[in-house]
Amino acid sequence: MADDNPKERMWQVPAYKRASDTDVRTWAKNQVDDGRAYFEANPGYEQLEESIRLLSGQPSDRLVAKQRDNRYTRVRTDRAKRNLREMVNSLADIRYAPGFHSDANETQATAETLNKCGAHWYVDTFADTKIKKAVQWMAISPCGWVEIAFRRQPGKRGKADIDLIPHSAFDVVMTGVPESGDHQEAYTVTIIKDLPVYYAHALWPDHQRVLRPDRETPRGWMEKVKELGAEVVNSVFGDGTPVKATAKNPTCRLYYQYVLDLSINHGKSEMRMGYEKRQVPDATGIPREQEVETPWSYRVPYVGQPIPVRYERGVDGKEIATYRLAEPEDCRIFPGRRLIVFTDTDLIYDGPMFDWHGMVPLIKLSADEWPFGSFSMLHDVAPLHEAVNEIDRISHQTVRNRFAPSMLYNIKAFTREKAKALRTDVQDQRVGYNGDAGDASKVVHPLLSEKFNTIEPWISDYRKYLDDTMDYEMGVRD
């Protein structure tokens, strides 16, 4: 889909091998910015910050002002969190059931071996815990993502394996999304990864010189939710300006952008895609640069090039090929998707994706998805959660007021200092007053009536309610 006049059609990806690295990286970064705007327009986007505040128990600014100096109760119940934890555990409790089966006796042993390999992979890679992290993101944000990758763990030698990588809703942005919202049909899908520098070097050893620390160590969400909304977004996505790295654990941001590039080879020669230049010894042992095949390399014919369609054996026993002229559908430069890997300052890779299936290697998890947007599991119950906590705070504050009420005092008979020292919630206080010495009944008199210090039934019921709530939230009665 490349165009000869990029100034007029900047929505299209720059032509492969014809545009400069700077033009490709700039275009790709603009797609990230557009994808961010698309994500922020999601109706469920704004609730992410509020969801994290509710689950972490952070009070609102108005409630913080009331709780200052411990004059208002700090009690809260987290039934929504407990329910959410139970739902997440149930959804992530996937009992792996291998499905390889054979009716032929000679291949049943092979099917059994494949089932054992699958069960070993599931347990060895902790796939269930990684799926659970994605489900947790789905619970508090519009969606969660699971990336399916074939990789070798950083720093390890030996064979690579299939791995599941959980991502939050912030880590994936899209542009050119169809009405269905299917990310497999989007024009670009970008996975944003903040990696430790050593990790980035392990993934791209030939680009270690340009993979430099460009931001501070990622902070926890507990700190991010305390900032303004714009600052939260900037902290998660970055604004393209490198930040001075910390000495503790500097990180490098990598963008993996999958582009649905439908460009056709209209040239006059076949294109070699996915080949890498390496130093290979020749017959004399001298290293020379050559293009070598990779597991994802292939060749693209040009339109009108004769290509074989089938082979038949002739009367002499030799195979005879039947040819036809290549059509545009046969000459797509990227039969799958074009992969662009870049940082905020450099282009790392631009070429065919590494998977032959040609799909974006992402699985979307969404609990409440509609044609107009997605919502978290907390979206509908958040107001109820706040209402329950408000009632609990009022109930507890009523108990506090019962034994330490606000009191009026006669400023002519009582000084301010004595009034501040008087505590109705502690024992053994002595307060002198100017009474009648002839009245023996008033020589020593209780400060408060006996009814004031009576534990009423509703107070005991409320205490039992709090005990039951604590047991429920901790799951001790399950």
Side-chain angles (χ1 to χ4, degrees):
M1 296 181 67
D3 196 282
D4 292 336
N5 191 352
K7 293 184 178 180
E8 295 182 2
R9 307 293 295 275
M10 285 304 294
W11 60 271
Q12 293 183 345
V13 60
Y16 179 69
K17 292 299 184 183
R18 292 166 58 187
S20 66
D21 290 354
T22 301
D23 290 341
V24 173
R25 182 187 60 79
T26 302
W27 180 89
K29 192 62 171 64
N30 290 337
Q31 296 301 305
V32 174
D33 296 336
D34 293 343
R36 182 190 311 167
Y38 174 81
F39 174 67
E40 292 176 6
N42 191 306
Y45 160 77
E46 295 181 355
Q47 197 191 4
L48 177 59
E49 182 179 345
E50 182 68 9
S51 298
I52 297 176
R53 186 188 67 79
L54 292 178
L55 294 182
S56 61
Q58 293 292 327
S60 63
D61 294 339
R62 180 173 175 270
L63 186 57
V64 169
K66 294 178 63 176
Q67 293 175 340
R68 190 172 293 116
D69 300 330
N70 199 31
R71 292 186 178 274
Y72 192 74
T73 177
R74 298 178 184 271
V75 70
R76 72 172 189 276
T77 57
D78 291 325
R79 285 181 171 268
K81 183 178 181 181
R82 167 66 168 81
N83 293 339
L84 205 62
R85 185 168 62 242
E86 187 169 324
M87 295 172 64
V88 168
N89 290 338
S90 298
L91 292 172
D93 186 17
I94 302 174
R95 291 171 174 82
Y96 179 75
F100 294 100
H101 175 72
S102 175
D103 294 330
N105 294 332
E106 58 271 16
T107 56
Q108 286 182 358
T110 302
E112 183 178 356
T113 301
L114 292 174
N115 287 331
K116 291 181 178 179
C117 291
H120 174 267
W121 169 84
Y122 186 81
V123 175
D124 189 57
T125 60
F126 298 95
D128 53 343
T129 61
K130 297 172 182 178
I131 294 175
K132 180 180 178 179
K133 292 181 180 179
V135 174
Q136 288 174 327
W137 278 114
M138 175 188 72
I140 64 174
S141 62
C143 64
W145 298 89
V146 177
E147 179 186 0
I148 305 175
F150 184 77
R151 64 172 183 168
R152 181 182 294 108
Q153 294 296 331
K156 291 187 177 180
R157 300 178 62 86
K159 75 178 186 70
D161 206 345
I162 300 174
D163 194 17
L164 303 181
I165 307 173
H167 293 288
S168 71
F170 278 116
D171 296 331
V172 179
V173 294
M174 302 178 288
T175 61
V177 185
E179 187 176 356
S180 64
D182 189 355
H183 61 283
Q184 297 293 351
E185 299 178 8
Y187 185 53
T188 70
V189 180
T190 307
I191 306 175
I192 306 172
K193 301 182 180 183
D194 285 328
L195 304 175
V197 178
Y198 86 92
Y199 200 153
H201 286 182
L203 294 175
W204 302 97
D206 295 336
H207 299 272
Q208 294 184 6
R209 183 182 59 83
V210 298
L211 292 174
R212 301 178 296 271
D214 57 6
R215 62 196 65 249
E216 295 181 355
T217 303
R219 296 176 300 164
W221 283 101
M222 286 290 292
E223 297 179 6
K224 289 180 181 176
V225 298
K226 296 179 182 179
E227 301 175 354
L228 298 176
E231 293 177 350
V232 173
V233 174
N234 183 64
S235 179
V236 176
F237 288 101
D239 58 359
T241 303
V243 182
K244 189 174 182 180
T246 64
K248 295 180 181 179
N249 185 23
T251 58
C252 176
R253 174 161 293 178
L254 283 173
Y255 302 87
Y256 287 70
Q257 188 169 102
Y258 295 85
V259 185
L260 191 59
D261 190 343
L262 303 178
S263 300
I264 306 296
N265 181 14
H266 288 287
K268 298 299 181 181
S269 61
E270 188 179 64
M271 295 182 64
R272 296 160 60 92
M273 302 294 294
Y275 288 77
E276 293 184 352
K277 293 183 178 181
R278 298 178 183 173
Q279 295 291 331
V280 180
D282 58 11
T284 61
I286 301 176
R288 299 184 184 279
E289 187 177 76
Q290 298 181 15
E291 283 190 342
V292 297
E293 291 185 345
T294 62
W296 55 87
S297 61
Y298 56 92
R299 300 188 179 189
V300 181
Y302 59 87
V303 177
Q305 176 182 342
I307 57 176
V309 292
R310 66 177 180 272
Y311 292 88
E312 298 178 350
R313 192 173 298 278
V315 294
D316 56 355
K318 295 183 179 180
E319 290 186 346
I320 302 175
T322 301
Y323 291 84
R324 68 171 175 85
L325 298 181
E327 300 178 355
E329 184 65 24
D330 305 313
C331 304
R332 283 183 52 183
I333 299 178
F334 298 97
R337 279 184 178 257
R338 179 176 175 180
L339 175 60
I340 303 175
V341 183
F342 60 98
T343 66
D344 289 324
T345 57
D346 298 279
L347 182 67
I348 304 300
Y349 174 83
D350 182 15
M353 61 183 297
F354 306 132
D355 302 310
W356 278 99
H357 53 65
M359 304 176 68
V360 180
L362 286 172
I363 299 175
K364 183 180 181 180
L365 304 179
S366 181
D368 190 11
E369 188 165 7
W370 297 84
F372 53 84
S374 303
F375 301 92
S376 69
M377 294 182 183
L378 277 177
H379 180 267
D380 296 328
V381 301
L384 299 178
H385 175 82
E386 291 281 40
V388 169
N389 272 286
E390 184 177 4
I391 293 175
D392 286 341
R393 286 192 297 269
I394 293 174
S395 301
H396 184 231
Q397 188 63 30
T398 301
V399 176
R400 287 163 56 105
N401 293 340
R402 177 71 174 75
F403 297 98
S406 300
M407 303 182 68
L408 294 173
Y409 68 92
N410 190 337
I411 59 176
K412 295 182 179 180
F414 220 53
T415 64
R416 181 178 181 85
E417 289 71 19
K418 289 183 178 181
K420 293 178 66 175
L422 178 63
R423 297 283 302 276
T424 59
D425 58 340
V426 297
Q427 65 179 9
D428 201 26
Q429 294 191 93
R430 302 292 185 267
V431 180
Y433 72 100
N434 187 12
D436 187 0
D439 189 354
S441 63
K442 295 184 179 181
V443 174
V444 179
H445 189 274
L447 181 63
L448 302 172
S449 66
E450 294 181 0
K451 185 178 179 180
F452 182 84
N453 290 317
T454 302
I455 303 296
E456 299 176 356
W458 72 268
I459 298 178
S460 299
D461 293 341
Y462 181 66
R463 179 188 176 280
K464 186 177 183 302
Y465 161 77
L466 292 179
D467 284 341
D468 294 341
T469 300
M470 182 172 60
D471 292 344
Y472 173 80
E473 291 178 2
M474 298 185 68
V476 297
R477 299 186 180 181
D478 292 350

